[in-house]
Amino acid sequence: KERFNEINPNALTEIIQSAELIEQEKNGVQVRGYLEIWSNLLRELTAEEFSAIYHELEDRELKPDELLVKQGDRNDELFFINHGMIKTFYQKSGRKVYVKSLSGGDLAGENFFDASVWTISMAAQTESKISILKRSSFSRWQEAFPGLEAKLRAFYNRSNDVQDLLLRKGLNRRAFERYQLARKIEFQIINNLGNSMGQRFKGRLSDISRGGLAMKFHLSQKKHIRVLFGRKLHISIPVAGKPPELNVYGAVLSINPAEEDGNEYKLHFVFDAPMEQEALQQVLG
């Protein structure tokens, strides 16, 4: 291209064509490099499925210590790590607890497949290059590739072991002890003023602590998961005493499938304020 400029600056057609060829070669190298990094994922998908993902990706470069996502965020993007090292950590009692580092060929995205806040933070450990798949982009072509989400989720579950690692290392991030408890409960969606926004729904309590609870419930349509995520709820828990129920208020932290098939989901809920120990004992009976 530079030689064309030297020999004949007026040869605009040849200069433009050479520039286009250069860009094509650059893109070819980029695609080939990408295919090498994600060869394991490519084996799981058809060429059309991989291409659909590839053309929706947005590239981003990170400097060392640059924060990618913060604990508590509701970011619903899926991160493809192409180059460099990304450290994962969480904060407890004012200090950072290191979990592990992710590198080329690793995926991360706690809120991409299931409605959930991020329970960890991620930041660049070295200069890093990542690609980002937005949930909104992914949802646009679900109908064209109905099995793609299941394949991508399965690959993610096999390759991302951060949550399993937290359990294996015994890294307990909970502020309060949880108690297993099976009991029928009811809940309502409320607005920011605390007023009910509709009917009462039924669920089954799984466990409870002073800070929150988990329950299972049926949801007929999967698309409603993200409608519930982050919403304020009023939950009524039957107790032995007067009044015969305890009312708690708070917000939905996450909703995940409770089983492989069916419409049962597990909802994690955080109280607006920690429950008094006396009230917890009343619930535990």
Side-chain angles (χ1 to χ4, degrees):
K1 181 184 172 183
E2 294 301 322
R3 188 63 177 153
F4 269 127
N5 278 323
E6 291 176 8
I7 297 172
N8 185 2
N10 295 321
L12 296 179
T13 301
E14 289 78 4
I15 291 171
I16 291 170
Q17 287 176 344
S18 65
E20 289 177 347
L21 285 171
I22 290 168
E23 287 305 312
Q24 287 174 14
E25 287 302 312
K26 281 183 180 178
N27 289 334
V29 170
Q30 182 179 339
V31 171
R32 287 195 295 274
Y34 201 88
L35 293 178
E36 289 172 9
I37 294 167
W38 297 102
S39 58
N40 289 335
L41 177 58
L42 186 56
R43 281 194 285 270
E44 304 284 333
L45 308 178
T46 66
E48 291 79 9
E49 289 170 336
F50 190 90
S51 178
I53 291 175
Y54 180 79
H55 289 292
E56 290 288 348
L57 294 174
E58 298 179 7
D59 295 328
R60 181 175 168 188
E61 295 186 6
L62 300 170
K63 296 184 188 223
D65 295 322
E66 185 175 346
L67 192 66
L68 177 59
V69 68
K70 186 173 65 174
Q71 184 176 330
D73 281 353
R74 292 174 60 179
N75 181 300
D76 63 356
E77 298 167 335
L78 186 62
F79 302 109
F80 293 69
I81 300 167
N82 302 317
H83 173 76
M85 301 284 285
I86 304 290
K87 60 186 175 185
T88 65
F89 59 94
Y90 70 91
Q91 291 189 303
K92 184 175 182 180
S93 302
R95 68 188 182 95
K96 291 181 180 179
V97 180
Y98 171 81
V99 181
K100 71 172 292 185
S101 293
L102 305 176
S103 56
D106 285 330
L107 286 175
E110 287 198 45
N111 187 21
F112 185 80
F113 297 105
D114 299 310
S116 171
V117 298
W118 278 74
T119 60
I120 58 169
S121 297
M122 296 200 310
Q125 195 166 340
T126 64
E127 287 192 359
S128 303
K129 295 180 180 179
I130 65 169
S131 296
I132 300 170
L133 178 63
K134 294 184 179 298
R135 179 73 202 181
S136 56
S137 300
F138 185 72
S139 299
R140 280 204 309 269
W141 29 264
Q142 286 289 315
E143 198 171 313
F145 303 101
L148 179 53
E149 181 167 4
K151 290 181 183 179
L152 194 56
R153 179 195 283 268
F155 180 83
Y156 178 87
N157 289 340
R158 287 196 304 272
S159 61
N160 188 302
D161 64 348
V162 171
Q163 296 301 321
D164 290 339
L165 188 61
L166 289 168
L167 291 174
R168 288 200 303 271
K169 286 186 173 182
L171 297 175
N172 184 10
R173 292 161 294 156
R174 303 192 186 283
F176 302 103
E177 184 177 358
R178 283 187 174 264
Y179 300 90
Q180 300 296 315
L181 186 64
R183 186 170 302 171
K184 292 180 179 179
I185 58 176
E186 293 187 345
F187 65 95
Q188 290 177 291
I189 300 173
I190 58 175
N191 59 26
N192 292 332
L193 298 176
N195 299 320
S196 170
M197 296 180 63
Q199 69 183 86
R200 292 169 74 94
F201 300 92
K202 298 183 183 300
R204 299 190 319 280
L205 194 63
S206 299
D207 61 67
I208 191 168
S209 74
R210 290 187 58 206
L213 58 80
M215 67 174 173
K216 292 182 179 179
F217 71 106
H218 283 275
L219 193 62
S220 58
Q221 296 188 52
K222 185 180 177 181
K223 65 182 181 180
H224 292 150
I225 290 177
R226 293 187 181 268
V227 175
L228 274 175
F229 176 52
R231 298 301 292 267
K232 303 284 285 185
L233 299 183
H234 162 216
I235 299 179
S236 300
I237 308 173
V239 294
K242 293 184 179 180
E245 62 181 30
L246 179 70
N247 295 303
V248 293
Y249 299 84
V252 178
L253 271 183
S254 68
I255 307 175
N256 312 103
E259 53 188 41
E260 293 273 335
D261 299 310
N263 298 314
E264 188 168 61
Y265 294 87
K266 190 168 187 179
L267 181 151
H268 291 272
F269 179 81
V270 61
F271 300 146
D272 286 338
M275 182 184 290
E276 294 295 335
Q277 186 64 37
E278 183 180 348
L280 179 60
Q281 288 303 128
Q282 188 182 11
V283 174
L284 298 175

